[in-house]
Amino acid sequence: MNIRAILIDDERKALAILKNKLERFCPNVSIIAETQEPKKAISLIQELKPDLIFLDVAMPEMSGFDVLAKIENPTFEIIFATAFDNYAIEAIKHCAIGYLVKPVDNNDLVEAVSKAIQNIEDKSALQKNKILIENLGIQTFQNKKIVIPCTEGLEFVQISDIIHFQGEQGYTNIHFTNRKPILSSHSIGYFSKLLENKSFYLIHKSHLINLNHIEKYLNEGFVILTNNYKLPISRNRRQDFLMLLKRENK
């Protein structure tokens, strides 16, 4: 599959390095344009309608997110480039969009392009891009949406509706307030890492819970959630969990 790509980065050297790496390691990517100017990037995207764009996050005139927000119908896949911007990486990961950390590693580049090609075939870019733009305008984490890879494709759900994740043999059952559970093709470890340091806590190797849905803590080492699930807390995590609850309720 031949992929038509546009490269956008305000640094000339970064553009040159990325172009060279793509030519060497990703021969199925055809570079149809490149620019250091975000405003020009918008017109190039609208005119050329690429399959994929490589987009720097931190640019002085407009950020990569600002560029994306200016595109009315962003049906293309994106691979963001960022230099350890934790906020940017977090926002991108929650929407299952590709990213590369500068300086770009060759293997990471090949993997990101491979995933982008699969996503192009699945035609899931528009919804993911729209959710990213929507999330960037929302301050409260629970009000944001997350993209969940499932056995049948992708699910787009609001975080506040998730009660807990339940790991089962490498898959994850996800329980909600307002719908039946769905089965994700990703392990509970994937979601634990994705939601690390957020209002979720891994109380057991098989149970990742939304702290906002705790109804009761039982002294024998269980929590009751809003769906009336009674879940065990691992003995070695109880003290840390109780300290976390105290911090959350201050």
Side-chain angles (χ1 to χ4, degrees):
M1 185 178 186
N2 188 54
I3 304 299
R4 301 165 63 255
I6 294 177
L7 316 185
I8 306 155
D9 196 309
D10 64 301
E11 297 180 11
R12 185 182 299 276
K13 183 178 179 181
L15 273 180
I17 291 172
L18 178 58
K19 183 177 181 180
N20 178 264
K21 286 178 180 285
L22 285 169
E23 290 172 346
R24 290 166 58 200
F25 302 110
C26 304
N28 50 348
V29 175
S30 297
I31 301 168
I32 58 174
E34 56 185 275
T35 182
Q36 294 174 251
E37 302 173 28
K39 287 184 179 178
K40 185 178 179 182
I42 295 168
S43 60
L44 284 171
I45 291 168
Q46 291 170 333
E47 177 188 349
L48 299 177
K49 295 179 172 51
D51 305 305
L52 171 67
I53 67 170
F54 290 83
L55 182 58
D56 186 26
V57 171
M59 295 183 286
E61 186 181 356
M62 296 174 69
S63 73
F65 295 145
D66 293 332
V67 170
L68 179 60
K70 293 289 185 182
I71 307 299
E72 185 175 347
N73 203 33
T75 58
F76 44 83
E77 275 296 313
I78 305 169
I79 297 177
F80 283 100
T82 180
F84 297 104
D85 184 331
N86 290 333
Y87 172 75
I89 291 175
E90 175 187 298
I92 294 162
K93 283 171 67 178
H94 289 157
C95 296
I97 293 174
Y99 72 93
L100 295 165
V101 175
K102 296 179 179 180
V104 174
D105 177 81
N106 297 339
N107 293 328
D108 290 345
L109 175 63
V110 172
E111 183 179 352
V113 169
S114 177
K115 287 181 179 178
I117 291 172
Q118 181 61 53
N119 291 339
I120 289 167
E121 292 173 349
D122 293 341
K123 295 181 171 59
S124 61
L126 178 61
Q127 187 67 21
K128 291 190 300 181
N129 294 341
K130 284 185 174 180
I131 286 179
L132 175 60
I133 295 168
E134 180 183 333
N135 280 352
L136 291 169
I138 298 173
Q139 298 301 316
T140 306
F141 178 73
Q142 288 280 326
N143 290 335
K144 295 183 179 184
K145 290 184 178 178
I146 188 172
V147 177
I148 297 177
C150 297
T151 51
E152 297 178 353
L154 298 174
E155 291 270 359
F156 305 88
V157 301
Q158 187 162 313
I159 292 167
S160 61
D161 292 334
I162 300 170
I163 298 175
H164 81 283
F165 299 85
Q166 182 177 1
E168 294 183 6
Q169 298 181 334
Y171 292 84
T172 305
N173 260 312
I174 303 160
H175 299 264
F176 300 90
T177 60
N178 55 358
R179 57 182 291 183
K180 292 180 180 180
I182 61 174
L183 181 66
S184 174
S185 53
H186 280 29
S187 71
I188 197 167
Y190 167 85
F191 293 106
S192 179
K193 188 174 181 180
L194 184 67
L195 298 166
E196 191 174 19
N197 299 323
K198 298 298 177 185
S199 50
F200 285 81
Y201 188 84
L202 192 68
I203 60 170
H204 182 279
K205 64 180 181 180
S206 299
H207 299 294
L208 176 68
I209 67 170
N210 187 339
L211 299 177
N212 290 280
H213 286 292
I214 296 175
E215 288 288 326
K216 187 184 295 185
Y217 169 78
L218 303 179
N219 289 333
E220 60 264 35
F222 290 86
V223 287
I224 307 294
L225 303 180
T226 50
N227 57 357
N228 289 321
Y229 267 62
K230 181 180 179 181
L231 301 177
I233 306 167
S234 295
R235 188 175 298 275
N236 62 347
R237 298 180 187 181
R238 289 179 193 174
Q239 187 174 356
D240 181 61
F241 178 66
L242 287 172
M243 291 176 64
L244 175 64
L245 289 183
K246 289 177 181 177
R247 290 198 301 268
E248 290 285 321
N249 290 320
K250 280 185 178 180

